[in-house]
Amino acid sequence: MKRMLSGIKPSGQLTLGNYIGALKEFVKYQDEYDMYVFIANLHTLTVYQDPEILRKNLRDTVLLYLACGLDPKKTKIFMQSDIMEQAQLGFILSCNIYLGELNRMTQYKDKLSKGEEGLSSGFYVYPTLMAADILAYQPDYVPVGDDQKQHVELTRDVAVRFNNRYGETFKVPEPLIPKQGARIMSLSDPSKKMSKSDASDKGCIYLLDDPKAARKKVMSAVTDSINEINYDPKNQAGVANLLTIHSALSGVSIDVLVEQFKGQGYGTLKKAVADEVEKLLIQLQTSYKELLDQNILKEVLAQGKASAQGIAHATLVEVQTKVGIEI
Ligand code: AQP
């Protein structure tokens, strides 16, 4: 069975973007692959987090993984910081990644160009830890949204470089980008990705949002003045985003939706999307509450750690031996 690995950074409450671009896909994949999904808690620290809020976000992330349908019998669910081998491998890999490569990372360049102050060095080097998060487990595939593609490219580059320098060690993983839903956009500004740490929450649906409040966000989504329902992400980004969300949640193809909504107003489309979103949130939150009462977090994470650590440890020992730091 081919192995697959991915993770989500709990830097806030999980969003509809995380669900459509990541979790929904993971649930599909867990039946076909040897699946590992971690909670990237170390990555959250690249930006200051209030410890109490972070702890709650960690708990909610695990519960939402389960509520979305990740099954701990099929998917190894674990906390990034529980596997210390990942961080140690991260340092070794950072010694095989050039400054120029990190300088080219779009996320870093974006923050620099916006003149963001107080950027931590952790933010700068986090792609090196992400490479270790992935390579420690020797996966065949890494499902990511398209914004993370560049980081997986860097991971592949360092794997190839390491293999060339020290001999075959790492499997070079393939990124898997969903064909549709790879980038769900903000409802209030469809030129921007829907992000959990967005300053305004108007454009973002959180999976734990009150379903009625989420409806309102959809109903006030920014569209355009063309007043025709087409799938045209360039010229009608807001409408294209609504169609993408509808299609991802209902399973109806975008072409069929465009045909179905032809000649109707944006209000009708928004109402249909709001229905889909509300249905999803009610279903997820019902299971979230049941899981919360079951108090199973620690057990799920311990089980995931037990399965994941052996693989990461074996990789680290091989790497340490190859680079010459083991006697
Ligand atoms: N809007 C999105 N559309 C599609 N996929 C998305 N993902 C995140 N947002 C969207 C995918 O979810 C996985 C986990 O992402 P992450 O939360 O670890 O990192 P991120 O992409 O940086 O998410 P945010 O919400 O934008 O976080 P902040 O605001 O803290 O930077 C990835 O596969 C991602 O592509």
Side-chain angles (χ1 to χ4, degrees):
M1 203 182 222
K2 299 266 190 202
R3 186 174 295 156
M4 186 175 272
L5 172 122
S6 199
I8 295 186
K9 176 175 56 147
S11 43
Q13 285 286 320
L14 297 194
T15 70
L16 186 64
N18 290 132
Y19 177 76
I20 295 176
L23 283 165
K24 189 169 144 297
E25 299 296 305
F26 300 168
V27 171
K28 268 197 298 191
Y29 291 137
Q30 68 182 346
D31 290 320
E32 293 165 54
Y33 296 95
D34 178 23
M35 189 77 185
Y36 292 75
V37 180
F38 64 97
I39 297 101
N41 58 348
L42 287 174
H43 290 298
T44 65
L45 299 178
T46 55
V47 175
Y48 172 77
Q49 306 283 328
D50 176 305
E52 268 318 301
I53 298 175
L54 177 57
R55 256 188 286 279
K56 174 166 183 347
N57 286 337
L58 293 183
R59 286 193 291 263
D60 283 348
T61 300
V62 185
L63 291 172
L64 282 169
Y65 277 10
L66 300 171
C68 288
L70 282 183
D71 175 353
K73 290 199 190 77
K74 298 179 189 164
T75 299
K76 277 62 81 180
I77 298 173
F78 60 99
M79 198 62 83
Q80 179 187 26
S81 61
D82 277 349
I83 316 288
M84 293 181 199
E85 285 82 354
Q86 280 175 231
Q88 185 147 334
L89 180 61
F91 181 75
I92 300 174
L93 292 182
S94 74
C95 298
N96 290 273
I97 291 175
Y98 298 109
L99 289 178
E101 291 177 303
L102 295 182
N103 291 338
R104 283 197 290 278
M105 292 294 115
T106 312
Q107 277 189 354
Y108 170 68
K109 284 201 314 196
D110 278 357
K111 298 232 181 204
L112 271 194
S113 69
K114 285 183 197 143
E116 211 160 302
E117 284 179 16
L119 270 190
S120 70
S121 55
F123 182 78
Y124 181 65
V125 295
Y126 102 85
T128 67
L129 177 58
M130 180 164 161
D133 297 336
I134 296 171
L135 297 178
Y137 298 95
Q138 309 279 7
D140 298 275
Y141 298 107
V142 185
V144 284
D146 75 345
D147 54 313
Q148 293 287 340
K149 199 171 157 213
Q150 195 188 25
H151 292 148
V152 181
E153 286 305 327
L154 178 71
T155 301
R156 287 167 55 85
D157 290 346
V158 71
V160 170
R161 184 172 304 144
F162 192 97
N163 288 348
N164 288 338
R165 275 185 184 161
Y166 298 105
E168 207 54 31
T169 307
F170 293 118
K171 195 170 266 182
V172 182
E174 296 285 337
L176 267 192
I177 318 273
K179 282 190 203 71
Q180 196 186 304
R183 188 174 281 227
I184 300 299
M185 310 309 278
S186 158
L187 296 172
S188 55
D189 177 358
S191 66
K192 272 176 37 190
K193 184 184 132 194
M194 185 183 282
S195 267
K196 57 178 112 62
S197 54
D198 209 333
S200 143
D201 75 348
K202 282 215 302 250
C204 184
I205 306 272
Y206 298 99
L207 298 179
L208 293 178
D209 264 350
D210 169 50
K212 294 281 176 237
R215 273 199 86 85
K216 283 197 185 137
K217 290 185 189 176
V218 176
M219 293 310 291
S220 10
V222 167
T223 48
D224 54 63
S225 53
I226 298 174
N227 268 326
E228 220 179 79
I229 295 178
N230 304 301
Y231 182 72
D232 181 354
K234 200 158 166 251
N235 300 306
Q236 291 186 263
V239 173
N241 194 35
L242 289 171
L243 287 166
T244 304
I245 294 173
H246 191 312
S247 173
L249 300 186
S250 65
V252 179
S253 77
I254 291 190
D255 289 347
V256 169
L257 289 175
V258 170
E259 205 44 46
Q260 193 178 313
F261 286 103
K262 209 178 196 166
Q264 307 202 49
Y266 290 163
T268 314
L269 172 64
K270 285 182 180 177
K271 191 176 166 303
V273 175
D275 288 345
E276 291 298 332
V277 169
E278 186 178 5
K279 194 164 74 185
L280 172 78
L281 296 195
I282 290 174
Q283 179 207 319
L284 286 183
Q285 292 174 19
T286 306
S287 13
Y288 166 90
K289 282 178 197 129
E290 283 167 14
L291 289 158
L292 192 62
D293 291 341
Q294 289 168 22
N295 215 357
I296 52 168
L297 275 191
K298 289 214 162 111
E299 190 186 320
V300 167
L301 291 174
Q303 207 178 309
K305 177 180 175 183
S307 310
Q309 193 155 36
I311 305 174
H313 188 74
T315 306
L316 181 66
V317 169
E318 186 181 350
V319 166
Q320 296 197 149
T321 307
K322 291 223 165 110
V323 299
I325 61 168
E326 292 269 338
I327 303 179

